[in-house]
């Protein structure tokens, strides 16, 4: 059974790029008769707000996307993450890290790709275990990982050159994204992860973490980002590109679905439609790789 998921962080409204990812994950699961779930990734402390999450759920529902299982909020899942930390410690895969953000900024290295990823240079690997008082990093093993990406085809990355040993637990007691995402995809039996290209560079790292935690490896698909009409990053303009803001400017939800459907290769012309009408036309081989520019009139 296919189980797809959409896992937004409730730090603001969902813009067209997020909605495109959500729709692709929904179509991919539904076109194969699978289940589809939503998970709220609110481990990122103060930037996450319950109201943003509730609004995101409303917007997804307005497009016709509702979670088949009750929505999990990661802020409720501390016990599961703590257990995973104990498992990884038992496997000798964790070490305390004392580097501050400032220390890391001082180590100048070229930003990697356009997502600005800089690998952590594993400076604290030699440190002995100090318990849960310190920040904790996951010790990667050497070598590249490969995976078959549904959108991009065969992929191959060395996680040590992309992320370095990732942070899993922060000094302030919060669990970090890489841990939460891997634990929850395993817990929820997710078999398909569809997400933005900005996260392609962390996939090999997360696959290593799955292997350490004996979590089955899901299929991945990384989608090109939605850009402004001139091809530049949406940046602050993204805020004006939520469902509600577009609706206020007279652009209906069915029209937005039509544009998204065309951008995912389901239909040839932009025409108002429902997500159910797109389902039978969805195929990963037809989804264009690369960025998608917004129509001039929407931006
Ligand atoms: N919560 C992450 C985000 O909104 C996505 C995580 C994922 O899909 O793996 O950027």
């Amino acid at each position: 059974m296919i189980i797809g998921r959409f896992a937004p962080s409730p730090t603001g409204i969902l813009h067209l790029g997020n909605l495109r990812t959500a729709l692709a994950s929904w179509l991919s699961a539904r076109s194969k008769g699978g289940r589809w779930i939503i998970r709220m990734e609110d481990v990122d402390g103060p930037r996450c707000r319950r109201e943003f999450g509730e609004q995101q759920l409303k917007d997804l529902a307005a497009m016709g996307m509702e979670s088949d299982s009750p929505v999990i909020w990661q802020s409720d899942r501390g016990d599961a993450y703590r257990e995973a930390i104990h498992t990884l410690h038992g496997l000798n895969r964790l070490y305390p890290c004392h580097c501050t953000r400032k220390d890391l900024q001082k180590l100048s290295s070229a930003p990697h790709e356009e997502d600005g990823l800089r690998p952590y240079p594993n400076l604290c690997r030699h440190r002995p275990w100090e318990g849960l008082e310190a920040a904790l990093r996951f010790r990667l093993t050497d070598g590249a990982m490969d995976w078959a990406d549904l959108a991009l085809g065969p992929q191959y990355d060395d996680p040590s050159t992309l992320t370095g040993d990732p942070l899993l637990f922060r000094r302030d007691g919060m669990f970090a994204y890489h841990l939460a995402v891997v634990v929850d995809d395993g817990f929820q039996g997710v078999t398909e992860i569809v997400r933005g290209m900005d996260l392609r560079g962390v996939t090999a790292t997360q696959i290593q973490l799955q292997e350490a935690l004996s979590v089955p490896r899901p299929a991945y698909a990384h989608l090109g980002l939605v850009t402004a009409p001139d091809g530049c990053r949406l940046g602050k303009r993204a805020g004006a590109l939520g469902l509600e803001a577009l609706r206020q400017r007279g652009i209906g939800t069915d029209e937005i679905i039509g544009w998204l459907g065309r951008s995912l290769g389901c239909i040839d012309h932009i025409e108002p439609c429902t997500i159910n009408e797109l389902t039978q036309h969805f195929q990963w081989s037809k989804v264009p790789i690369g960025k998608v520019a917004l129509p001039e009139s929407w931006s």
Side-chain angles (χ1 to χ4, degrees):
M1 168 65 107
I2 301 282
I3 303 184
R5 55 85 156 161
F6 178 56
S9 304
T11 54
I13 55 132
L14 295 174
H15 58 67
L16 282 172
N18 307 130
L19 296 174
R20 183 168 183 261
T21 302
L23 181 57
S25 67
W26 188 91
L27 288 170
S28 183
R30 286 290 190 259
S31 63
K32 289 171 283 203
R35 290 167 57 74
W36 184 79
I37 56 180
I38 303 173
R39 181 173 70 234
M40 281 294 159
E41 303 214 313
D42 58 342
V43 279
D44 189 14
R47 290 202 312 133
C48 294
R49 299 227 304 258
R50 194 93 189 177
E51 325 63 285
F52 287 139
E54 303 290 355
Q55 186 58 48
Q56 293 182 347
L57 294 173
K58 274 191 205 148
D59 286 349
L60 292 167
M63 286 177 65
M65 291 182 270
E66 283 179 279
S67 183
D68 288 336
S69 308
V71 174
I72 279 188
W73 294 71
Q74 289 187 325
S75 51
D76 296 333
R77 300 260 307 140
D79 289 347
Y81 307 145
R82 204 162 293 115
E83 198 179 309
I85 288 286
H86 285 300
T87 303
L88 293 168
H89 171 50
L91 296 167
N92 193 29
R93 296 296 294 272
L94 298 180
Y95 61 85
C97 176
H98 291 186
C99 297
T100 62
R101 194 167 294 189
K102 254 201 191 135
D103 293 337
L104 298 178
Q105 275 162 355
K106 268 188 256 157
L107 301 163
S108 63
S109 62
H112 197 280
E113 296 184 341
E114 55 189 53
D115 51 17
L117 271 182
R118 285 158 204 245
Y120 172 67
N122 305 344
L123 296 176
C124 291
R125 258 198 187 182
H126 63 280
R127 289 185 189 276
W129 180 252
E130 300 166 15
L132 293 187
E133 301 305 314
L136 298 173
R137 285 190 186 268
F138 174 65
R139 197 189 307 275
L140 291 170
T141 55
D142 289 338
M145 312 295 296
D146 52 26
W147 75 94
D149 197 291
L150 296 169
L152 304 173
Q155 300 293 298
Y156 184 78
D157 268 341
D158 182 347
S160 64
T161 64
L162 290 173
T163 63
D165 291 347
L167 194 73
L168 298 190
F169 181 74
R170 302 198 324 219
R171 209 188 337 237
D172 61 7
M174 305 279 291
F175 298 95
Y177 157 67
H178 291 298
L179 181 74
V181 83
V182 168
V183 169
D184 286 343
D185 283 329
F187 172 69
Q188 298 189 286
V190 168
T191 65
E192 251 188 39
I193 293 179
V194 179
R195 57 189 185 183
M197 197 71 87
D198 51 339
L199 291 171
R200 200 204 76 99
V202 302
T203 304
T205 302
Q206 293 179 358
I207 289 174
Q208 280 214 9
L209 193 50
Q210 282 156 9
E211 291 187 351
L213 288 168
S214 304
V215 169
R217 187 189 304 187
Y220 284 93
H222 291 94
L223 280 182
L225 300 182
V226 173
T227 70
D230 58 6
C232 293
R233 259 188 101 87
L234 285 179
K236 287 205 181 103
R237 277 176 288 184
L241 291 167
L243 217 54
E244 186 50 38
L246 288 169
R247 214 182 282 145
Q248 281 174 14
R249 287 159 52 197
I251 303 160
T253 303
D254 52 353
E255 218 177 317
I256 294 169
I257 293 171
W259 182 80
L260 292 171
R262 201 193 59 157
S263 83
L264 292 169
C266 300
I267 45 179
D268 296 332
H269 302 287
I270 299 175
E271 52 191 316
C273 63
T274 64
I275 59 171
N276 286 314
E277 287 165 336
L278 297 174
T279 313
Q280 58 174 317
H281 304 293
F282 181 84
Q283 270 176 34
W284 279 111
S285 59
K286 292 198 284 184
V287 178
I289 302 175
K291 296 177 183 172
V292 189
L294 279 177
E296 198 76 56
S297 56
W298 290 11
S299 65

